[in-house]
């Protein structure tokens, strides 16, 4: 039962009436967190109630993270708390209880059997950085709203760009996801090449390039036919001879090319296009090369694995998604350019309501987004937590698990493995028609889920496959052996 008596704020503000946001539920004696919380942190003194609230929220989160293996990777439908605000605000206890209900129905990336998607468990330092990011509530739109964080973003983008092989002076901007990074790259390429007015301009990419390219064309006002799909070879890589032919034909027809997009890590099998050779063709024709490295670019951070994405540094623009394998909490994506000034040339509006930049330009002038959180903070802190050795170990582990699963599955007769050179492995029984493949994928996914193993079911080259993404550092040989056992039994 709620009463209408106003709550009492803590500390110095005790005499002030609380805003209607604060709880007016009478505190049960001895119940932690039943006292109302000030809606905004007290700027005059350390607020112990706020600290306890954040502490309790952290412990609730740590209990959830710490019981990941005991829950299913994919929980069943759960009860959701009410969505609408009540007449008066809730106490910290009730807020946390409501949060708990949502948490119980959440996808559980920390389960060792969670190997369906490119969504690993969260890296510890990036969770803390996300909390601090929320507390600072800075805005990466403009430097006066994020003085230290804007500089951190520019510096880290510059460092990462050079670390991935782009030339000195390279840099970029963080974006909310790889789809947005790809879109900004294509918009910048079109602008830079003076093709904004050309309705016949095209983007050239492999037939297995990411769906975000098609979305980009929608935003750019181009027809779906403006995405020219180059066939792939048996390994899922862009066929370089076919690309050469396509580019020659476009040139003959006088049709302008916004960009050639090479994929470093395709979404179904982790295939890496021949970046070096694509770059040579782009230079010869004077085309912009965008590399969609949302999955694969981070492999260049581990010296032993960098050859898997050889040629990354030849890109004019490069999408990197540290949220995918490194476990930086969502979202974490960067768009990096060999010549980052092109971003400012493309997106600058003058920001008439802001002080001029005193550094290398406002973040809000270097991309499509206006107000942005300091997503860079969790990437920076996460990389600092891992260190070079930790980054290499994550990548080593992912490749080793893919190899292990491959060793377990390859002896199975009548199973076709589909892979590239990264940490993804897809497969399906040979000799089934499309409908039979779909039924097999549904039934086998269900059988796997009943053993707490979650794989995904992509449609690839006309057939449903099962796909494992081996980026989860908690996945042990036991889970992979169980996958092989269930898959073995699923075969005719
Ligand atoms: C995931 C992915 C993207 C899109 O990234 P989002 O962060 O999901 O928007 C782009 N390209 C490739 C190859 C991807 O795998």
């Amino acid at each position: 039962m709620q009463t209408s008596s106003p709550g009492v704020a803590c500390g110095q503000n005790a005499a002030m009436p609380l805003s209607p946001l604060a709880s007016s539920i009478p505190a049960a004696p001895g119940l932690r967190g039943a006292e109302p919380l000030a809606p905004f942190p007290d700027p005059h003194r350390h607020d112990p109630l706020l600290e306890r609230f954040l502490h309790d929220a952290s412990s609730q989160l740590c209990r959830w993270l710490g019981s990941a293996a005991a829950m299913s990777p994919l929980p069943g439908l759960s009860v959701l708390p009410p969505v609408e605000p009540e007449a008066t605000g809730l106490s910290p206890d009730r807020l946390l209880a409501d949060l708990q209900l949502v948490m119980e129905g959440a996808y559980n990336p920390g389960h060792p059997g969670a190997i369906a998607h490119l969504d690993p468990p969260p890296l510890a330092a990036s969770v803390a950085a996300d909390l601090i990011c929320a507390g600072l509530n800075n805005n990466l739109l403009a430097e006066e709203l994020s003085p230290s964080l804007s500089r951190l973003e520019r510096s880290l983008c510059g460092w990462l760009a050079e670390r991935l092989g782009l030339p000195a002076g390279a840099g970029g901007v963080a974006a909310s996801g790889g789809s947005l990074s790809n879109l900004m790259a294509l918009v910048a390429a079109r602008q830079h090449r003076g093709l904004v007015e050309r309705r016949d301009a095209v983007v050239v990419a492999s037939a297995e390039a990411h769906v975000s390219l098609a979305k980009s064309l929608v935003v750019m006002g181009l027809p779906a036919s403006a995405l020219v799909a180059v066939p792939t070879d048996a390994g899922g890589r862009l066929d370089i001879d076919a690309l050469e032919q396509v580019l020659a034909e476009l040139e003959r027809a006088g049709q302008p090319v916004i960009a050639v997009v090479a994929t470093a890590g395709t979404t179904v099998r982790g295939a890496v296009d021949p970046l070096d050779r694509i770059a040579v063709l782009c230079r010869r024709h004077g085309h912009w090369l965008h590399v969609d490295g949302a999955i694969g670019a981070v492999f260049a951070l581990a010296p032993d694995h960098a050859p898997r994405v050889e040629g990354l540094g030849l890109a004019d623009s490069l999408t990197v998604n540290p949220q995918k394998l490194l476990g930086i909490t969502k979202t974490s994506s960067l768009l990096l350019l060999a010549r980052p000034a092109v971003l400012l040339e493309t997106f600058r509006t003058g920001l008439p309501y802001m002080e001029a930049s005193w550094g290398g330009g406002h973040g809000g002038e270097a991309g499509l987004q206006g107000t942005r959180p300091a997503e860079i903070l969790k990437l920076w802190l996460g990389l600092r937590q891992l260190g070079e050795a930790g980054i290499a170990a994550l990548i080593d582990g992912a490749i080793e698990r893919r190899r292990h699963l491959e060793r377990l599955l390859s002896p199975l007769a009548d199973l076709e493995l589909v892979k590239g050179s990264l940490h993804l492995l897809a497969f399906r029984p040979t000799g089934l028609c499309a409908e039979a493949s779909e039924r097999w994928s549904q039934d086998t996914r269900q059988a796997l889920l009943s053993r707490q193993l979650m794989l995904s079911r992509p449609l690839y080259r006309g057939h449903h496959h099962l796909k494992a993404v081996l980026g989860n550092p908690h996945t042990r040989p036991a889970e992979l052996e169980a996958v092989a056992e269930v898959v073995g039994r699923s075969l005719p």
Side-chain angles (χ1 to χ4, degrees), residues 21-375:
L21 276 176
S23 169
S24 56
I25 300 166
L31 188 62
R32 274 169 68 79
E35 271 180 83
L37 191 66
F40 292 95
D42 187 335
H44 302 290
R45 65 193 295 270
H46 174 189
D47 179 348
L49 281 186
L50 173 65
E51 184 171 348
R52 194 174 76 189
F53 180 54
L54 294 183
H55 181 270
D56 289 350
S58 295
S59 15
Q60 189 165 311
L61 176 63
C62 290
R63 280 195 299 277
W64 186 79
L65 292 168
S67 55
M71 304 182 290
S72 168
L74 184 60
L77 275 191
S78 67
V79 179
L80 276 185
V83 290
E84 69 285 2
E86 295 187 3
T88 52
L90 301 185
S91 68
D93 273 349
R94 293 214 29 218
L95 294 174
L96 292 177
D98 281 0
L99 274 177
Q100 182 67 32
L101 287 178
V102 180
M103 290 162 75
E104 276 160 20
Y107 170 64
N108 174 19
H111 190 285
I115 50 174
H117 295 288
L118 294 143
D119 292 73
L123 191 67
S126 77
V127 176
D130 240 349
L131 175 68
I132 301 293
C133 172
L136 297 177
N137 206 20
N138 274 212
N139 188 344
L140 275 275
L141 170 67
E143 286 170 334
E144 66 187 278
L145 293 171
S146 53
S148 57
L149 291 161
S150 281
R151 269 190 298 141
L152 187 71
E153 177 175 78
R154 268 200 306 276
S155 309
L156 188 64
C157 286
W159 173 81
L160 196 67
E162 291 189 29
R163 186 73 174 67
L164 295 177
L166 292 169
V173 69
S176 292
S179 300
L180 189 51
S181 294
N182 282 344
L183 170 63
M184 294 193 306
L186 295 180
V187 169
R190 178 168 73 173
Q191 182 86 14
H192 184 68
R193 315 219 50 232
L195 297 175
V196 175
E197 309 292 329
R198 294 290 296 260
R199 314 314 296 164
D200 57 343
V202 296
V203 171
V204 179
S206 101
E208 299 189 27
H210 193 258
V211 291
S212 55
L213 300 184
K215 279 194 198 172
S216 297
L217 297 199
V218 173
V219 179
M220 294 165 76
L222 294 170
S225 57
L227 186 57
V228 178
V230 179
T232 48
D233 65 16
R237 291 168 301 243
L238 179 144
D239 180 325
I240 194 78
D241 295 331
L243 175 64
E244 192 158 12
Q245 224 172 322
V246 164
L247 295 182
E249 276 162 25
L250 288 168
E251 200 159 88
R252 262 199 304 280
Q255 223 178 334
V257 173
I258 293 169
V260 174
V261 179
T263 307
T266 57
T267 310
V268 172
R269 63 191 291 171
V272 178
D273 289 343
L275 307 177
D276 282 330
R277 301 180 63 194
I278 296 173
V280 169
L281 285 184
C282 285
R283 301 252 153 104
R284 187 186 305 155
H285 289 267
H287 294 327
W288 182 283
L289 172 60
H290 175 63
V291 174
D292 180 358
I295 299 176
V298 296
F299 282 77
L301 296 175
D304 289 350
H305 298 284
R308 296 177 192 278
V309 290
E310 187 83 59
L312 214 52
L314 301 172
D316 292 294
S317 56
L318 171 63
T319 292
V320 191
N321 265 22
Q323 71 197 14
K324 281 190 169 167
L325 175 55
L326 299 181
I328 308 299
T329 51
K330 295 176 185 65
T331 51
S332 181
S333 177
L334 303 177
L335 173 62
L336 304 174
L337 268 73
R339 284 156 297 155
V342 174
L343 286 176
L344 289 170
E345 286 159 20
T346 305
F347 295 108
R348 183 161 29 215
T349 61
L351 272 185
Y353 33 78
M354 291 290 169
E355 289 301 310
S357 160
W358 55 76
H362 294 309
E365 296 279 73
L368 266 175
Q369 286 174 275
T371 292
R372 275 184 312 138
E375 301 198 278

